[in-house]
Amino acid sequence: MSEGLRSRNQGVSSEGDQSGRRQTDAKTGEQASMERETAAQPSTSGGAGFEQGEWSERTASANGEGGSFECNICLELAQDPVVTLCGHLFCWPCLYRWLRLHSQCKECPVCKAGVSEKNVIPLYGRGTSGEDPRTKPVSGPEIPRRPAGQRPESQRAPQMGPFGFMAGPSAQFGNFTLSAGFGLFPSLLGLQWQAYTGDPMPAGFAAPDDGTGVAPVPRAALTPEQQQQAFLSRLLVMLGSFVLLCLLFF
Amino acid sequence: MAQLDVNRIQKELVEIERDKNSGVSVTIIGGQLSRLTGTIKGPIGTPYEGGIFVVDITLTKSYPFEPPKMTFKTKVWHPNVSSANGAICLDILKDQWSPALTLKTALLSLQALLSTPEPDDPQDAVVAQQYLRNYQDYVTTARNWTNAFATGDRGLQEKVAKLVEMGIPAEAAQAALEKAGGDENAALEVLFSS
Ligand SMILES: [Zn+2]
Ligand SMILES: [Zn+2]
């Protein structure tokens, strides 16, 4: 287990660009390093050493068109990211400007579902600077602070320890912790990142035909699962070190 | 507001450049990112097949929050395009615009509009009437216009040049060709009958 992790970590420095996206199964570590998969399970090597810029470059180049974390308005890696209830990602300043100044019916730019400034969800990634977005220079209207996230009550069962969500065959690092990780972030399951493919868009941009406010979303280039995995890769580094500690100490 | 979102426009241009098979392209006019030219391939199986249609694109400072201004520079015979000035009637270029759309998706929507005219919401009433009442005539005219004006500048310019060689002023030659739907002989008839 720990060997597998180490070999993966070496992969980062030697393989550079592709390393974070390659599938390296703990059992077949050496073998797997030969084959490359474009968007596979995140290896634990993905996050720790990467600077923000490097990361954005990697996502942009590896995903080809429309990286998963690019704002749907400015097309850059989302700054002060917020996600709408319909699952579309924006920079808060971009979305605010659209809703406040230009949108006639307060609709999601991507899918035309109803969006209000109140019901967007802020995304707090690891290592956010805590800088107040309002202090950043923004042209146009003054952009208020992002709405705060909601914190529903945890449903974790009391008898589980601090690593309860990882109980069971923790040696199988890859898939198992991933799916458990999803349980930790139920709201993420609803996210659907949108990326334009080459498909011609019909003249009438798809509008919701029911009252639910949820409209069909164009197919993403990557499956949601792959994208979520990519998203969680950084998180997994932390989980990975916990597992290592567990193995070392118990 | 004060500034054109240069980053976004450049990203769009790179993306369009990367996807050569999309059937649309965008080029910059004279180094200014607010003035662009797009091209659309006429959809296969339509009277516009084989044509390359040039679209004038102007971006306001509020792009992408406001739609790009697009007009056909190439003459098009289509119910939703003015046969006189190329103005386009398409909802996403007006109130249905969204900042998640791009120049590429807008051009692809124009391409889709060429395939599926909406004569009930016309820009050019004459064409729309013809489309509804005499569909075959519409197809013929649209195809002639495609051949005359959308087969690259060469097609039209060659024809104009031929007529100029015959002693006809270039402007009159072009006007006659347009009137005759690009048919040289018909253009001659127009010229000599007047
Ligand atoms: Zn943005
Ligand atoms: Zn949406």
Side-chain angles (χ1 to χ4, degrees):
Chain A
M1 174 67 197
S2 53
E3 257 181 41
L5 282 172
R6 240 172 256 133
S7 75
R8 264 171 272 164
N9 279 325
Q10 282 160 6
V12 174
S13 47
S14 58
E15 296 290 334
D17 186 49
Q18 292 275 338
S19 62
R21 313 196 60 78
R22 197 184 337 117
Q23 177 169 16
T24 45
D25 191 305
K27 290 169 195 158
T28 59
E30 295 307 309
Q31 204 181 330
S33 68
M34 315 287 278
E35 55 179 78
R36 297 181 168 216
E37 296 194 10
T38 43
Q41 295 177 17
S43 76
T44 48
S45 59
F50 283 101
E51 298 297 318
Q52 173 83 9
E54 224 173 327
W55 171 252
S56 84
E57 216 178 284
R58 264 159 28 93
T59 30
S61 60
N63 288 355
E65 274 185 69
S68 308
F69 298 99
E70 287 169 12
C71 166
N72 279 291
I73 292 178
C74 66
L75 313 183
E76 302 284 335
L77 199 71
Q79 302 293 316
D80 297 325
V82 292
V83 69
T84 56
L85 291 184
C86 47
H88 292 115
L89 179 72
F90 304 93
C91 308
W92 169 241
C94 289
L95 183 66
Y96 181 83
R97 193 173 157 192
W98 167 246
L99 293 177
R100 245 320 141 82
L101 294 179
H102 299 277
S103 170
Q104 284 164 7
C105 335
K106 306 245 186 246
E107 285 173 340
C108 169
V110 178
C111 70
K112 309 251 164 182
V115 174
S116 85
E117 288 155 32
K118 297 271 152 38
N119 70 12
V120 299
I121 300 161
L123 291 183
Y124 303 121
R126 199 175 75 92
T128 33
S129 63
E131 188 186 348
D132 189 333
R134 286 174 297 184
T135 62
K136 292 177 193 167
V138 185
S139 60
E142 183 163 338
I143 311 288
R145 203 180 170 82
R146 278 187 290 179
Q150 295 163 26
R151 304 204 66 252
E153 197 109 330
S154 163
Q155 292 189 357
R156 197 197 304 179
Q159 70 267 28
M160 285 191 173
F163 299 108
F165 57 91
M166 288 170 63
S170 59
Q172 280 207 337
F173 189 75
N175 270 328
F176 180 78
T177 36
L178 264 181
S179 45
F182 289 158
L184 272 183
F185 300 94
S187 65
L188 284 176
L189 287 171
L191 301 194
Q192 296 182 46
W193 309 103
Q194 185 273 340
Y196 282 119
T197 61
D199 296 333
M201 182 154 299
F205 196 67
D209 49 4
D210 52 6
T212 63
V214 177
V217 181
R219 268 185 65 85
L222 298 173
T223 70
E225 192 187 352
Q226 286 168 332
Q227 289 157 352
Q228 285 159 351
Q229 286 175 349
F231 179 75
L232 286 169
S233 64
R234 298 185 121 217
L235 186 92
L236 277 174
V237 177
M238 291 170 65
L239 295 181
S241 31
F242 278 132
V243 171
L244 265 179
L245 283 174
C246 285
L247 289 174
L248 288 173
F249 288 109
F250 305 110
Chain B
M1 334 214 68
Q3 289 274 312
L4 199 64
D5 188 344
V6 173
N7 281 348
R8 154 138 181 172
I9 299 165
Q10 270 166 350
K11 268 203 148 186
E12 286 196 43
L13 293 176
V14 168
E15 216 163 272
I16 292 169
E17 188 65 25
R18 203 190 293 143
D19 183 8
K20 302 268 187 203
N21 299 323
S22 63
V24 303
S25 76
V26 175
T27 48
I28 307 165
I29 306 177
Q32 246 186 309
L33 280 175
S34 58
R35 296 273 292 131
L36 304 153
T37 297
T39 63
I40 302 168
K41 272 188 191 157
I44 292 166
T46 69
Y48 311 101
E49 184 176 346
I52 304 281
F53 296 87
V54 180
V55 179
D56 260 336
I57 305 171
T58 308
L59 303 179
T60 67
K61 294 230 162 79
S62 294
Y63 180 83
F65 294 97
E66 282 176 6
K69 295 185 166 65
M70 292 191 171
T71 54
F72 273 104
K73 201 174 177 187
T74 307
K75 289 176 75 69
V76 188
W77 190 255
H78 187 286
N80 305 105
V81 180
S82 163
S83 58
N85 61 18
I88 300 163
C89 178
L90 181 60
D91 55 359
I92 63 145
L93 294 179
K94 293 170 184 167
D95 56 331
Q96 291 300 305
W97 172 256
S98 131
L101 295 171
T102 61
L103 296 177
K104 181 179 168 183
T105 54
L107 287 173
L108 288 171
S109 298
L110 281 184
Q111 198 178 39
L113 184 68
L114 289 182
S115 319
T116 51
E118 287 165 33
D120 295 329
D121 186 17
Q123 175 76 36
D124 193 306
V126 175
V127 185
Q129 284 298 316
Q130 190 192 42
Y131 183 92
L132 292 170
R133 293 191 184 157
N134 205 338
Y135 182 75
Q136 270 316 312
D137 280 358
Y138 151 77
V139 171
T140 308
T141 314
R143 188 168 289 140
N144 284 341
W145 277 45
T146 302
N147 292 334
F149 308 120
T151 47
D153 269 352
R154 231 183 312 134
L156 180 64
Q157 274 168 9
E158 271 175 12
K159 287 173 188 169
V160 172
K162 258 189 204 170
L163 293 179
V164 169
E165 268 175 33
M166 295 162 82
I168 296 153
E171 251 177 47
Q174 177 140 2
L177 275 168
E178 287 178 6
K179 216 172 187 180
D183 188 286
E184 281 168 77
N185 293 327
L188 280 173
E189 262 172 47
V190 170
L191 282 166
F192 290 122
S193 66
S194 61

